[in-house]
């Protein structure tokens, strides 16, 4: 093709594109002045007029434009009927090339004459397409075949058409920014030239046929996800000629023949969809061109689909295959966290945090197909949704209407997704053309689940990388990893982290397993786990800091700090009652989970309900676990006493000084979704818990409020994973139950507490990525309408001080010794360092801070005698009854604990919710190896003793 012809071809393409664009823009202006009753007819005429123009040029130019027309002809779900009806002619009925050209190509490529190659060669082609045409023939050995012959000079035409198509797409993106198809045309430019090598297509055909098991006998045993399709065998191939086995079949557009044979169209399209789901999710290698012309239906019963033309295929990496499966399941489950995580894994980056809109767009990918008769309604629905999304985008970006149309919320669009979405669109178009309704979420789900289940079920026994590859810090850690492998092989662990400090140094920092049931990525040291009531220990620490800095007093009435709290006889409730679980508000907000769990997202509403609640017992008279109310009681106190937002105090007091940025949150910010572990339940433990609620006729377990009895807990345990896996819940500030952290951040927190608030030396340098290396910028204010005193400029700088703080990187000699002066319980201690985080060496200045945590010594009068809780922390005893330490566990097994005398701190985070057995074994094992007493509550985790009510209570509230 000479330059003159190339130029003429280019001008024809651009001229038509411009003409069609102007035609529609003019009609948009005209319809404003035309009655509504006549508008539909005008649009139909415009569609037919422009469809004829497009068809005429495509037939004239052939090449890539025919392929584009074939694609458009399948989109009956979104394109006007005029385009579908006219462009359908392009699927297999193009004008054939001269026989002399065809025979010349065959003889040149196969290096034999036609007479030597074939007994018979049918001169009339079976089909003529954009790149080649197909003839039926009989080989010299009598075998019936089809011969696919590439058009002469088509390679030059295709490459030129790709350039022209790219120019048009770029122009459309400029003129109408909401229609930016640049990523798609870029991927097509990369993949389309591969179709011009028939050796490549031959290898693809063999590979897909093998993957789908097409050559197995029908009486062989098949897997659950076997698909029943046929693919022709490859006989011979060269760059421009492909010889395939002949299969007698009917084209999908031959409705009369299909009806005559009694072909079930619904079943037929479902099986084609299953075949593509297998290729994408199971094999990671799929045909990228499933238009109706590339399928036949076998004439012989059971009328199986015949898959043709594997020139355009896509190979997915294992990571991308898993990410696509995860994206599918996230869409099916409405799981925003998993969706955003899948986006990050596949390299799809958004410029804005818009999880709801991201879910809507993804749901469009996998929506049910609709018959062609519903195309107009479907287009209107999608246009309305697009308009709504633009409004949300405009609110987010603060752009005007014109600017927002030009704003592209996608920052990076991976090429692998382009062919994937094209396949989904073509399949949807195919089902519309066949006038059937396909529920993709049902048909494709087993295949998506199988690829993730297959990786996740590969526990330690089959997965040498089940323990994340990090250096071993001690002999104890090496032995612990063997224990974790045993528990993993027993299916007691899905994903877990264990970190421990001894004498201020890291001795264990191990991660193992996977992030979730449908997330086969490895747990890493910086992965974030939901830890439920472990959060209470952190929230309690914040209150103690306010006391330590003189902003609050333990014996102060809550109402003095929080005036609205005075209502309904609560003026006698003091701060220490809240910390000791003796305020009498143990059932406050209990109805929230039944009434509407999403009310937990409304910080102000929860604080208001707590302020209006009515105590059930006298303050200080009975210790009953405040499983939900504890967090908002403490949260309200923290904000009213400090005049700052809850998260500001969290950062100021613990995050920056301990240098645990990005690894401890109460309410996660955008951008951390890819590091989140997903919760699931240990069904064996759940059955045991359900059984306990009916044993021995016991209906009330001491220490637990009436709304948190075993029957309630068993029911709650089934719903908690679903609820707390949801993105909106994870982002909420729920100070009793919504902490997300790594074990190493939690262990460092308790390592500081066990030393009276002294900041430990820097975390182990062998842990990668380094602790504190993630940015920590939460942007979710806990206050919406309450007016607070404005923080000074200096305070704002302090609360967002450098994340490099917490230690100087030097040894322990740099730390100050604890002050030894005495003072009363509520005396004003010298203000703990809270300016530049790199100067913080001690979080607390109170020399008796351990007594304050435990409710011991001079603080003993502030707690209920013999209670399980001190002031905010659960007390831990050795078997001989000696008080050895403190901490807090959460429902499901995550825990933080420290032993004061032995300067030992340990944290366990896990995502397979059990009721203590795994955590108990780990803590027992580590303590035994170190020769220190194991806390009594951990030593009894998971054991069924005669006094099972006592045994149950331990793992739940401690």
């Amino acid at each position: 093709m000479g330059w003159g012809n190339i130029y003429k071809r280019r001008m024809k393409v651009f001229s038509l594109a411009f003409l069609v664009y102007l035609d529609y823009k003019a009609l948009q202006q005209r319809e404003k002045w035309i009655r509504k009753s006549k508008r539909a007819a005008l649009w139909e005429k415009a569609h037919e007029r422009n469809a004829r123009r497009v068809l005429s040029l495509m037939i004239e130019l052939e090449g890539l434009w025919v392929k584009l027309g074939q694609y458009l002809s399948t989109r009956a779900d979104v394109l006007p009927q005029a385009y579908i009806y006219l462009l359908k002619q392009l699927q297999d009925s193009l004008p054939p090339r001269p026989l002399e050209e065809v025979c010349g190509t065959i003889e040149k490529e196969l290096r034999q004459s036609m007479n030597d190659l074939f007994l018979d060669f049918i001169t009339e082609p079976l089909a003529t397409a954009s790149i080649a045409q197909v003839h039926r023939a009989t080989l010299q050995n009598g075998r019936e075949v089809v011969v696919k012959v590439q058009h002469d000079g088509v390679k030059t035409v295709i490459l030129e058409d790709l350039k022209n198509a790219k120019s048009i797409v770029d122009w459309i993106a400029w003129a109408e920014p909401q229609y930016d198809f640049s990523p798609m045309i870029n991927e097509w430019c990369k993949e389309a030239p591969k179709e011009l090598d028939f050796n490549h297509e031959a290898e693809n055909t063999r590979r897909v046929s093998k993957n789908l098991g097409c050559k197995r006998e029908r009486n062989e045993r098949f897997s659950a996800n076997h698909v029943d399709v046929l693919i022709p065998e490859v006989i011979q191939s060269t760059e421009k000629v492909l010889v395939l086995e002949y299969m007698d079949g009917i084209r999908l557009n031959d409705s009369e023949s299909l009806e005559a044979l009694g072909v079930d169209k619904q079943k037929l399209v479902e099986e084609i969809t299953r075949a593509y789901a297998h290729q994408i999710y199971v094999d990671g290698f799929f045909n990228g061109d499933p238009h109706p012309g590339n399928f036949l239906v076998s004439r012989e019963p059971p009328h199986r689909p015949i898959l043709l033309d594997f020139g355009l295929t896509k190979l997915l990496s294992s990571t991308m295959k898993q990410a696509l499966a995860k994206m599918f399941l996230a869409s099916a489950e409405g799981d925003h966290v998993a969706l955003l995580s899948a986006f990050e894994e596949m390299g799809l980056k958004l410029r804005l945090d818009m999880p709801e809109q991201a879910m809507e767009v993804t749901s469009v990918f996998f929506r049910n197909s609709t018959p062609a008769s519903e195309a107009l309604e479907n287009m209107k629905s999608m246009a309305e949704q697009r308009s709504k999304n633009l409004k949300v985008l405009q609110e987010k970006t603060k752009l005007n209407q014109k600017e927002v149309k030009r704003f592209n919320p996608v920052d990076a669009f991976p090429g692998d997704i382009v062919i994937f979405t094209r396949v989904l669109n073509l399949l949807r178009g195919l089902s519309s053309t066949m006038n059937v309704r396909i529920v993709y979420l049902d048909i494709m789900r087993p295949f998506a689940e199988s690829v993730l289940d297959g990786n996740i079920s590969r526990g330690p026994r089959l997965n040498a990388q089940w323990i994340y590859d990090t250096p071993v810090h001690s002999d104890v850690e090496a032995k612990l990893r063997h224990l974790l492998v045993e528990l993993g092989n027993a299916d007691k662990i899905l994903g877990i982290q264990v970190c421990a400090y001894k004498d201020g140094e890291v001795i264990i920092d191990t991660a193992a397993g996977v992030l979730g049931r449908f997330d086969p990525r490895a747990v890493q040291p910086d992965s974030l786990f939901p830890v439920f009531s472990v959060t209470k220990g952190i929230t309690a620490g914040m209150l103690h800091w306010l006391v330590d800095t003189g902003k609050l007093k333990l014996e102060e009435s809550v109402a003095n700090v929080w005036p609205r709290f005075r209502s309904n006889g609560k003026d006698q409730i003091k701060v220490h009652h809240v910390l000791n679980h003796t305020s009498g508000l143990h059932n406050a907000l209990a109805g929230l989970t039944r009434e509407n769990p999403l009310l937990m997202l409304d910080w102000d509403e929860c604080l208001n309900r707590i302020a209006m609640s009515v105590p059930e017992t006298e303050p200080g008279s009975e210790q009953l676990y405040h499983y939900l109310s504890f967090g908002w009681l403490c949260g309200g106190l923290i904000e009213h006493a400090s005049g700052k937002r809850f998260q500001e105090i969290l950062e100021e007091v613990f995050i920056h000084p301990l240098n645990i940025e990005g690894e401890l949150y109460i309410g996660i910010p955008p951008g951390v979704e890819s590091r989140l572990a997903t919760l699931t339940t240990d069904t064996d433990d759940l059955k045991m818990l359900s059984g306990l609620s009916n044993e021995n006729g016991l209906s009330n377990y001491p220490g637990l409020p009436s709304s948190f009895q075993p029957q309630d807990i068993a029911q709650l345990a089934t719903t908690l994973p679903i609820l707390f896996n949801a993105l909106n819940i994870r982002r909420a500030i729920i100070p009793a139950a919504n902490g997300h952290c790594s074990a190493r951040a939690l262990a460092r927190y308790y390592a500081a507490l066990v030393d009276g608030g002294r900041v430990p030396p820097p975390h182990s340098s062998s842990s990668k990525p380094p602790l504190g290396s993630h940015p920590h910028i939460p942007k979710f204010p806990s206050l919406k309408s309450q007016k607070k005193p404005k923080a000074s400029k200096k305070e704002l700088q302090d609360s967002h001080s450098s994340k490099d703080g917490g230690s100087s990187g030097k040894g322990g000699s740099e730390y100050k010794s604890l002050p030894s002066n005495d003072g009363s319980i509520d005396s004003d201690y010298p203000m703990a360092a809270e300016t530049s985080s790199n100067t913080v060496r001690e979080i607390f200045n109170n020399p008796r801070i351990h007594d304050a945590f435990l409710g011991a010594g001079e603080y003993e009068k502030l707690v209920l005698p013999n209670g399980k809780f001190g002031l905010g922390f659960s007390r831990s005893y050795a078997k001989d009854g000696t008080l050895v330490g403190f901490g807090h566990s959460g429902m499901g097994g995550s825990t933080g604990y420290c032993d004061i005398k032995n300067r030992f701190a340990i944290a366990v985070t896990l995502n397979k919710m059990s009721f203590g057995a795994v955590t108990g074994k780990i803590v027992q094992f580590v303590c035994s190896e170190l020769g220190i007493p194991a806390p009594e509550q951990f030593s009894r985790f998971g054991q069924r003793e005669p006094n099972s009510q006592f045994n149950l209570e331990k793992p739940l509230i401690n």
Side-chain angles (χ1 to χ4, degrees):
M1 179 183 286
W3 282 109
N5 288 332
I6 289 175
Y7 179 76
K8 289 178 184 177
R9 188 179 184 88
R10 185 174 299 172
M11 288 304 299
K12 288 179 180 179
V13 170
F14 291 155
S15 297
L16 178 66
F18 192 59
L19 177 62
V20 171
Y21 175 75
L22 288 180
D23 193 351
Y24 281 122
K25 293 301 283 186
L27 183 54
Q28 282 180 347
Q29 296 300 318
R30 281 180 61 200
E31 72 170 350
K32 296 176 183 178
W33 312 100
I34 296 172
R35 283 183 296 178
K36 286 186 177 180
S37 59
K38 293 186 177 181
R39 288 179 187 175
L42 277 176
W43 278 100
E44 284 180 17
K45 288 181 180 179
H47 292 323
E48 185 174 351
R49 180 169 63 246
N50 288 312
R52 290 189 182 281
R53 289 169 175 164
V54 170
L55 175 65
S56 176
L57 186 65
M58 285 178 169
I59 291 175
E60 178 187 346
L61 298 182
E62 296 184 346
L64 184 77
W65 301 109
V66 171
K67 292 195 74 66
L68 177 61
Q70 290 171 341
Y71 171 67
L72 294 175
S73 73
T74 66
R75 299 309 311 276
D77 55 326
V78 293
L79 278 181
Q81 186 59 34
Y83 282 90
I84 305 303
Y85 177 76
L86 290 167
L87 297 182
K88 203 186 301 184
Q89 300 173 42
L90 298 172
Q91 288 180 9
D92 58 10
S93 58
L94 289 176
R97 291 294 179 95
L99 185 62
E100 293 78 9
E101 177 189 312
V102 172
C103 292
T105 300
I106 293 173
E107 291 180 340
K108 181 179 179 181
E109 289 290 308
L110 299 182
R111 298 181 181 180
Q112 286 182 274
S113 68
M114 294 293 289
N115 291 333
D116 290 337
L117 289 166
F118 307 107
L119 283 176
D120 186 27
F121 186 87
I122 308 300
T123 57
E124 185 71 24
L126 292 171
T128 303
S130 56
I131 292 176
Q133 63 191 52
V134 179
H135 291 260
R136 188 173 174 182
T138 306
L139 298 178
Q140 290 292 345
N141 61 8
R143 185 169 188 178
E144 290 193 75
V145 296
V146 292
V147 184
K148 183 175 180 179
V149 186
Q150 191 174 120
H151 299 321
D152 192 31
V154 74
K155 185 173 184 177
T156 304
V157 171
I158 291 287
L159 295 178
E160 174 60 23
D161 289 346
L162 284 171
K163 293 179 185 177
N164 294 339
K166 180 162 175 48
S167 298
I168 291 174
V169 166
D170 290 342
W171 172 64
I172 292 173
W174 173 81
E176 304 286 340
Q178 66 269 37
Y179 300 109
D180 185 2
F181 303 110
S182 299
M184 301 179 189
I185 194 64
N186 291 340
E187 181 69 9
W188 207 1
C189 287
K190 186 173 79 173
E191 296 294 335
K194 296 177 183 177
E195 292 190 76
L196 300 170
D197 184 352
F198 288 175
N199 284 318
H200 178 74
E201 180 177 343
E203 183 54 39
N204 294 341
T205 305
R206 293 187 185 100
R207 183 170 180 175
V208 175
S209 179
K210 182 181 178 181
N211 289 342
L212 297 182
C214 293
K215 292 302 177 183
R216 293 180 186 174
E217 295 297 326
R218 288 188 60 77
N219 57 1
E220 285 186 51
R221 181 175 292 179
F222 297 111
S223 66
N225 287 333
H226 169 71
V227 294
D228 195 13
V229 297
L230 299 172
I231 294 177
E233 181 185 347
V234 176
I235 309 297
Q236 188 177 4
S237 70
T238 69
E239 184 182 356
K240 296 182 179 180
V241 174
L242 178 62
V243 182
L244 299 164
E245 166 192 10
Y246 171 73
M247 287 186 169
D248 190 13
I250 308 162
R251 296 210 165 272
L252 294 187
N253 58 8
D254 189 350
S255 300
E256 290 184 6
S257 297
L258 292 176
E259 288 178 14
L261 289 175
V263 174
D264 185 336
K265 292 183 180 180
Q266 180 73 31
K267 185 178 178 182
L268 177 74
V269 179
E270 284 182 0
E271 199 61 29
I272 290 173
T273 305
R274 293 181 76 251
Y276 273 84
H278 194 294
Q279 291 175 64
I280 293 166
Y281 295 119
V282 179
D283 309 323
F285 184 76
F286 60 95
N287 181 358
D289 199 19
H291 68 78
N294 284 343
F295 298 100
L296 298 174
V297 183
S298 62
R299 291 184 183 274
E300 295 295 324
H303 308 301
R304 288 180 280 173
I306 301 172
L307 277 56
L308 307 173
D309 193 349
F310 294 87
L312 178 61
T313 55
K314 188 67 184 176
L315 176 64
L316 301 174
S317 67
S318 177
T319 300
M320 178 59 73
K321 184 173 71 170
Q322 291 174 11
L324 288 174
K326 188 173 174 181
M327 179 176 75
F328 176 90
L329 293 169
S331 176
E333 299 281 347
D335 187 340
H336 296 79
V337 172
L339 180 67
L340 296 180
S341 175
F343 282 177
E344 182 157 331
E345 290 164 48
M346 65 178 64
L348 195 159
K349 297 179 181 178
L350 303 177
R351 289 193 172 96
L352 290 174
D353 177 49
M354 298 176 64
E356 296 294 338
Q357 284 65 44
M359 179 61 74
E360 286 176 8
V361 171
T362 309
S363 298
V364 168
F365 284 170
F366 303 112
R367 71 189 186 280
N368 297 350
S369 68
T370 53
S373 58
E374 299 176 19
L376 183 60
E377 184 180 339
N378 195 35
M379 287 176 65
K380 286 181 180 177
S381 174
M382 291 178 69
E384 288 172 5
Q385 189 58 55
R386 189 181 297 116
S387 180
K388 288 179 183 177
N389 287 341
L390 275 176
K391 287 181 181 178
V392 174
L393 187 62
Q394 190 171 357
E395 290 175 8
K396 280 264 187 183
T397 57
K398 309 298 182 187
L399 300 174
N400 61 39
Q401 194 168 4
K402 186 175 181 181
E403 289 171 333
V404 79
K405 285 185 177 181
R406 292 185 170 275
F407 180 80
N408 185 355
V410 178
D411 188 37
F413 195 90
D416 286 346
I417 304 180
V418 173
I419 305 297
F420 170 75
T421 54
R422 181 175 188 268
V423 166
L424 289 180
N425 287 333
L426 282 168
L427 289 174
R428 184 171 290 104
L430 173 65
S431 61
S432 294
T433 302
M434 298 293 286
N435 208 35
V436 296
R437 192 183 302 275
I438 300 297
V439 183
Y440 292 102
L441 292 180
D442 290 346
I443 294 175
M444 302 179 86
R445 181 167 190 145
F447 298 93
E449 287 182 344
S450 69
V451 65
L452 295 179
D453 276 340
N455 283 276
I456 290 166
S457 61
R458 293 174 67 242
R461 191 176 286 109
L462 300 173
N463 183 3
Q465 283 77 45
W466 189 78
I467 298 277
Y468 192 72
D469 186 19
T470 52
V472 176
H473 296 80
S474 63
D475 291 342
V476 178
E477 183 170 25
K479 294 176 182 177
L480 173 67
R481 291 185 178 188
H482 288 294
L483 173 63
L484 295 181
V485 168
E486 288 177 20
L487 292 169
N489 283 329
D491 199 28
K492 303 307 292 182
I493 293 175
L494 181 63
I496 194 168
Q497 297 168 322
V498 183
C499 184
Y501 280 71
K502 181 73 172 71
D503 300 322
E505 299 292 334
V506 177
I507 60 168
I508 296 170
D509 191 3
T510 289
V514 296
L515 286 174
R517 180 167 166 249
F518 292 123
D519 192 344
R521 292 175 301 144
V523 173
Q524 299 186 29
D526 63 337
S527 298
L528 299 174
F529 282 73
V531 293
F532 292 105
S533 287
V534 173
T535 317
K536 291 182 176 72
I538 299 162
T539 302
M542 294 163 68
L543 265 182
H544 279 285
W545 180 84
L546 289 172
V547 172
D548 194 64
T549 55
K551 294 183 173 76
L552 190 65
K553 298 179 186 297
L554 289 171
E555 292 184 293
E556 190 172 8
S557 170
V558 173
N560 285 349
V561 181
W562 184 357
R564 288 199 70 192
F565 188 79
R566 196 180 302 277
S567 65
N568 297 319
K570 297 195 295 296
D571 52 310
Q572 296 302 311
I573 297 176
K574 300 188 185 317
V575 174
H576 65 82
H577 292 138
V578 171
L579 287 168
N580 192 228
H581 295 266
T582 55
S583 75
L585 296 173
H586 41 275
N587 284 322
L589 272 66
L592 210 59
T593 54
R594 290 184 292 273
E595 177 190 342
N596 181 5
L598 296 183
L599 283 175
M600 288 190 292
L601 309 181
D602 191 333
W603 175 264
D604 288 332
E605 175 63 20
C606 290
L607 290 187
N608 182 58
R609 290 193 178 209
I610 281 288
M612 296 295 108
S613 60
V614 180
E616 297 180 28
T617 58
E618 282 293 318
S621 64
E622 189 175 3
Q623 189 175 84
L624 292 168
Y625 184 46
H626 291 37
Y627 65 100
L628 196 56
S629 57
F630 182 89
W632 283 297
L633 284 166
C634 291
L637 274 168
I638 288 166
E639 293 202 335
H640 282 83
S642 68
K644 295 183 181 180
R645 294 176 298 183
F646 180 89
Q647 288 185 322
E648 286 184 89
I649 297 297
L650 176 62
E651 290 178 61
E652 180 180 348
V653 179
F654 297 132
I655 302 301
H656 297 317
L658 292 174
N659 196 24
I660 53 176
E661 283 86 347
E663 294 194 30
L664 194 155
Y665 293 102
I666 301 177
I668 64 164
V672 302
E673 292 83 6
S674 64
R675 293 193 285 128
L676 293 178
T678 305
L679 294 166
T680 187
T681 305
D682 187 318
T683 52
D684 293 336
D685 273 24
L686 185 59
K687 288 175 184 175
M688 184 186 80
L689 179 63
S690 300
L692 285 176
S693 63
N694 297 318
E695 285 185 9
N696 305 321
L698 294 169
S699 59
N700 187 40
Y701 284 69
L704 299 180
S706 59
S707 60
F708 200 61
Q709 290 296 306
Q711 63 271 20
D712 304 301
I713 299 164
Q715 183 179 1
L716 199 59
T718 60
T719 58
L720 276 179
I722 299 170
L723 188 63
F724 277 80
N725 284 336
L727 183 63
N728 53 358
I729 295 290
R730 288 183 188 257
R731 287 185 172 181
I733 302 169
I734 309 173
N738 202 31
H740 286 74
C741 62
S742 63
R744 62 183 186 175
L746 185 60
R748 187 166 176 80
Y749 169 71
Y750 275 98
L753 297 191
V754 82
D755 277 349
R758 182 182 297 169
V759 175
H763 191 78
S764 169
S765 59
S766 62
S767 292
K768 302 297 180 185
L771 180 60
S773 62
H774 289 286
H776 185 99
I777 314 172
K779 295 180 180 178
F780 299 102
S782 53
L783 300 177
K784 294 178 183 176
S785 55
Q786 274 181 274
K787 291 186 178 179
K788 293 289 176 191
K790 287 187 177 180
S792 68
K793 184 176 180 181
K794 179 178 180 299
E795 286 176 321
L796 289 173
Q797 290 170 342
D798 293 345
S799 67
H800 293 284
S801 52
S802 168
K803 71 172 184 155
D804 295 324
S807 67
S808 63
K810 299 179 182 179
S813 60
E814 290 296 310
Y815 298 102
K816 292 192 298 184
S817 8
L818 290 171
S820 57
N821 59 303
D822 294 328
S824 64
I825 292 173
D826 286 322
S827 64
D828 293 333
Y829 295 107
M831 186 76 97
E834 55 179 287
T835 52
S836 176
S837 63
N838 60 11
T839 66
V840 175
R841 294 293 176 267
E842 297 164 10
I843 296 171
F844 300 102
N845 281 334
N846 180 1
R848 294 185 307 283
I849 194 66
H850 289 149
D851 286 348
F853 294 156
L854 292 165
E858 293 188 18
Y859 297 85
E860 191 172 0
K861 65 182 180 181
L862 302 183
V863 301
L864 195 70
N866 304 315
K868 295 178 176 61
F869 287 97
L871 292 174
F873 297 90
S874 65
R875 303 194 242 193
S876 298
Y877 298 85
K879 287 186 178 180
D880 62 4
T882 308
L883 188 59
V884 293
F886 59 91
H888 216 298
S889 293
M891 179 177 279
S894 293
T895 197
Y897 162 75
C898 60
D899 178 319
I900 301 167
K901 179 181 177 182
N902 293 288
R903 293 186 66 207
F904 169 67
I906 188 169
V908 179
T909 57
L910 41 79
N911 58 355
K912 188 168 190 176
M913 295 175 61
S914 64
F915 293 94
V918 170
T919 308
K921 286 180 181 177
I922 290 169
V923 175
Q924 283 182 76
F925 178 84
V926 174
C927 288
S928 174
E929 289 295 320
L930 293 173
I932 62 178
E936 187 269 344
Q937 76 267 28
F938 289 109
S939 67
R940 303 178 69 160
F941 265 50
Q943 297 177 14
R944 291 295 308 276
E945 297 180 4
N947 187 8
S948 60
Q949 74 176 73
F950 175 79
N951 201 40
L952 167 71
E953 185 182 346
K954 292 288 185 179
L956 288 175
I957 65 172
N958 291 325

